[in-house]
Amino acid sequence: MSGMPVEQQVVARARKAFLTGRSKALSYRLSQLKGLRRLITEKQRDIADALRKDLHKSENATQLYEMIGLEGEIDLAVSHLSEWAAPRPVEQSLLTVADEVYIQPEPLGVVLIIGAWNYPWAVTVQPLIGAIAAGNAAVIKPSEVSSHTSKVMEELLPLYLDKELFPVVTGGVVQTQELLKQRFDHIFYTGNSTVGKVVMEAAARHLTPVTLELGGKSPCYIDKDCDLSVACRRITWGKYVNCGQTCIAPDYILCEPSIQDKVVKEIRKCIKEFYTDDPKTCPDYSRIVSLRHFRRIVALMEGSSVAIGGETDEAQCYIAPTVLTEVTSESKVMQEEIFGPLLPIIPISGTDEAIEFINKREKPLALYVFSSSDKMIKRMIADTSSGALLANDCLVHYTLSDLPFGGVGSSGMGHYHGRYTFDQLSHLRSCLIKKLRMERVNQVRYPPHTAQKLRWARLFLLKRVDVGQWRRAAQAVALVTLAAYVVQVRRPERFTSILYCTSYTFGFNV
């Protein structure tokens, strides 16, 4: 391997380790997941220090927005791994009713995980949890933009995980490009759509499947009849947490002109509540990750009026929580995802125009609706498309492991969280095991193909059989037999009662 690029060597070692088969054993997967859990518990201070240097995140913010979710994901995977990895029975036809038919999740192989810088632990380690649980090897590429976190990840992960199966590759664009030249069995990328296209193009050369967690401009529609004080409080939190550097942050507000001034007033009040009169001195207010991103965001304010905030400090990469008005669809701030603490307000005439405005643009990663009308919320769900829709709050859908997280269209493809990550990074293998008997039944598929055979084929192939119901019926019979023994068969009225109660419990008609 001496003549190979370092990245090629790392991938080759990971594949060699995967081919030993050790990552497939459930006991081994559990040991690695528990090791990752210990890392998060034992190295909290190192992780928090790195995030403070990269993004000015407070230790409490690190716990709340990075670590707690990972702890929950690991605990969920540990407690449900045997269930997720078990064979999954399926409905059968009469032709296969005597056969063993199931879906067997199996590892894909070697997965590449390319993380993002805005929540560098949460969005990098969460797919890693699923990769480990599914029995894969994984090459982890943290973002070079959050350089301190990348270095800490490189140092810490090998102390708690198998360093051959789960190597960390650091570096910038050159290293990422070299990794993308290698053959992987799945690529999981979190970031922007521009790089997402590069990743997908590289993956296509090897026919490698991808999960792309991208972003976009997530709209936030405020209905004039909702409780504006509550709505604006939740929007303010969702927008300015992590200094607006959240892929599902509300990107812009749509509301009627009659409530715009009230919206601005309520958001101003909430900014003061959350970040004091001077957010620059507030420990809970983050910074823009780099000078390049700082200058990009500042440039987006051109051509709009600043209703709140607008203060900047290039030396600290500080941009105050800002609300922009006199914004149109042609404004500079509306031409790309903001990914910073600017919140434009666009006046629209009502729900119809809001839906039209949203549908004319690329499908967003999230769509936020604030309304007291269930009918209006249902209409938004029916008449728009987005990765997720959240009514009357922001961001919190990300915290639910039972909700698949992912985009649609330009906001991404594939999804993850909880079991969804496990399934995304597994091959759900179809298995059918027949016996070498009952050959007369199989005659319906062999030539010569007569009309009579065709009638039988229709019956055997199209008639669905719920094997699970048969199992429940068998359990019911067993329970009835036991009950009959307990109450004595000489009391038939009790026996009949037990029979019907049992059939009702198991959903079996007797």
Side-chain angles (χ1 to χ4, degrees):
M1 288 190 184
S2 57
M4 294 182 183
V6 173
E7 294 76 19
Q8 187 176 355
Q9 294 179 38
V10 168
V11 177
R13 280 196 296 270
R15 190 166 295 282
K16 183 179 179 181
F18 173 76
L19 291 175
T20 66
R22 67 176 182 264
S23 67
K24 295 183 179 181
L26 292 192
S27 58
Y28 192 82
R29 302 184 205 183
L30 289 169
S31 71
Q32 296 297 294
L33 289 170
K34 291 174 182 178
L36 194 56
R37 184 71 161 83
R38 288 197 309 276
L39 184 160
I40 292 171
T41 302
E42 295 171 7
K43 299 297 182 181
Q44 289 183 12
R45 181 58 57 85
D46 297 305
I47 294 169
D49 285 347
L51 286 167
R52 177 179 51 79
K53 293 172 184 176
D54 285 329
L55 290 154
H56 198 261
K57 281 188 182 179
S58 68
E59 189 166 347
N60 289 337
T62 293
Q63 285 294 313
L64 184 59
Y65 303 124
E66 300 261 5
M67 298 294 105
I68 290 177
L70 294 179
E71 292 172 13
E73 284 281 309
I74 295 172
D75 292 346
L76 182 70
V78 167
S79 62
H80 290 280
L81 183 58
S82 59
E83 172 195 339
W84 295 350
R88 305 174 188 180
V90 298
E91 254 190 25
Q92 297 171 226
S93 66
L94 282 176
L95 188 66
T96 63
V97 71
D99 305 326
E100 194 176 353
V101 185
Y102 57 90
I103 297 168
Q104 178 63 63
E106 65 175 18
L108 289 171
V110 182
V111 176
L112 173 61
I113 298 171
I114 305 175
W117 53 260
N118 58 330
Y119 294 91
W121 278 86
V123 300
T124 306
V125 174
Q126 195 162 63
L128 175 60
I129 294 166
I132 294 171
N136 298 293
V139 177
I140 301 109
K141 173 60 180 69
S143 173
E144 71 279 5
V145 178
S146 50
S147 56
H148 296 92
T149 301
S150 177
K151 185 173 185 297
V152 167
M153 199 174 289
E154 180 186 29
E155 293 171 351
L156 295 183
L157 281 179
L159 301 179
Y160 291 84
L161 297 179
D162 187 321
K163 60 185 178 182
E164 291 183 328
L165 280 168
F166 308 109
V168 180
V169 176
T170 57
V173 174
V174 173
Q175 287 72 27
T176 303
Q177 289 175 335
E178 190 61 45
L179 280 173
L180 289 173
K181 292 178 184 177
Q182 313 308 314
R183 183 179 72 82
F184 290 94
D185 299 290
H186 197 99
I187 298 176
F188 198 113
Y189 168 73
T190 303
N192 61 63
S193 59
T194 301
V195 178
K197 293 174 184 177
V198 174
V199 170
M200 195 169 182
E201 184 178 356
R205 289 196 288 269
H206 301 287
L207 294 178
T208 299
V210 296
T211 300
L212 302 178
E213 295 299 336
L214 308 176
K217 298 183 74 64
S218 295
C220 179
Y221 174 62
I222 306 177
D223 186 12
K224 65 180 180 180
D225 296 325
C226 77
D227 186 328
L228 289 180
S229 62
V230 173
C232 291
R233 196 167 195 271
R234 296 177 184 181
I235 293 167
T236 301
W237 170 74
K239 177 63 184 181
Y240 299 114
V241 68
N242 202 36
C243 205
Q245 298 165 118
T246 304
C247 60
I248 50 174
D251 192 271
Y252 59 92
I253 288 175
L254 298 172
C255 68
E256 295 184 31
S258 61
I259 64 170
Q260 179 173 302
D261 290 344
K262 181 72 180 298
V263 168
V264 171
K265 178 183 176 182
E266 291 294 335
I267 292 176
R268 179 182 286 111
K269 187 192 305 181
C270 294
I271 290 173
K272 181 178 179 179
E273 177 190 350
F274 296 162
Y275 304 113
T276 75
D277 286 322
D278 186 5
K280 191 175 182 181
T281 63
C282 178
D284 287 320
Y285 190 69
S286 301
R287 297 294 185 269
I288 303 304
V289 72
S290 69
L291 191 58
R292 178 174 70 86
H293 283 281
F294 170 86
R295 289 172 176 167
R296 177 189 64 81
I297 295 166
V298 169
L300 293 179
M301 288 193 271
E302 294 175 8
S304 301
S305 296
V306 175
I308 302 173
E311 299 84 7
T312 64
D313 183 343
E314 186 171 296
Q316 290 191 28
C317 286
Y318 167 80
I319 301 175
T322 300
V323 173
L324 302 175
T325 55
E326 298 183 25
V327 178
T328 68
S329 58
E330 287 75 36
S331 298
K332 195 170 183 180
V333 74
M334 291 301 295
Q335 303 313 306
E336 61 180 77
E337 182 181 6
I338 297 168
F339 222 68
L342 312 182
L343 183 56
I345 300 178
I346 300 175
I348 44 90
S349 60
T351 305
D352 290 343
E353 188 179 350
I355 290 172
E356 182 182 0
F357 190 95
I358 293 165
N359 287 339
K360 280 183 177 179
R361 285 151 183 81
E362 297 286 359
K363 296 179 180 181
L365 187 55
L367 169 57
Y368 300 108
V369 182
F370 286 83
S371 176
S372 300
S373 168
D374 290 339
K375 183 178 179 180
M376 198 281 288
I377 293 170
K378 297 297 183 186
R379 185 181 171 202
M380 275 287 186
I381 293 173
D383 293 349
T384 63
S385 178
S386 59
L389 183 142
L390 182 55
N392 298 324
D393 210 340
C394 295
L395 312 189
V396 294
H397 63 290
Y398 183 88
T399 67
L400 295 175
S401 295
D402 285 339
L403 280 179
F405 181 84
V408 58
S410 67
S411 59
M413 62 180 65
H415 46 249
Y416 71 123
H417 283 193
R419 182 169 180 164
Y420 297 102
T421 321
F422 179 93
D423 285 353
Q424 185 84 118
L425 299 179
S426 296
H427 169 52
L428 301 181
R429 190 180 194 181
S430 301
C431 297
L432 189 153
I433 303 170
K434 294 187 76 71
K435 305 293 184 184
L436 291 172
R437 59 172 186 255
M438 297 179 65
E439 190 62 11
R440 289 184 64 84
V441 174
N442 292 321
Q443 292 295 330
V444 297
R445 56 189 174 132
Y446 298 146
H449 301 298
T450 65
Q452 183 179 8
K453 274 192 176 183
L454 184 59
R455 286 193 295 272
W456 281 106
R458 282 186 174 277
L459 173 64
F460 280 102
L461 293 174
L462 299 182
K463 178 65 176 176
R464 311 306 297 170
V465 178
D466 186 349
V467 177
Q469 187 179 27
W470 285 23
R471 289 196 188 97
R472 290 193 297 272
Q475 291 172 333
V477 170
L479 189 57
V480 167
T481 303
L482 177 62
Y485 176 78
V486 171
V487 302
Q488 303 297 328
V489 181
R490 62 177 175 269
R491 299 177 63 186
E493 72 284 354
R494 293 292 302 277
F495 178 80
T496 304
S497 174
I498 290 170
L499 178 64
Y500 279 102
C501 287
T502 304
S503 67
Y504 177 81
T505 300
F506 287 93
F508 173 62
N509 294 322
V510 296

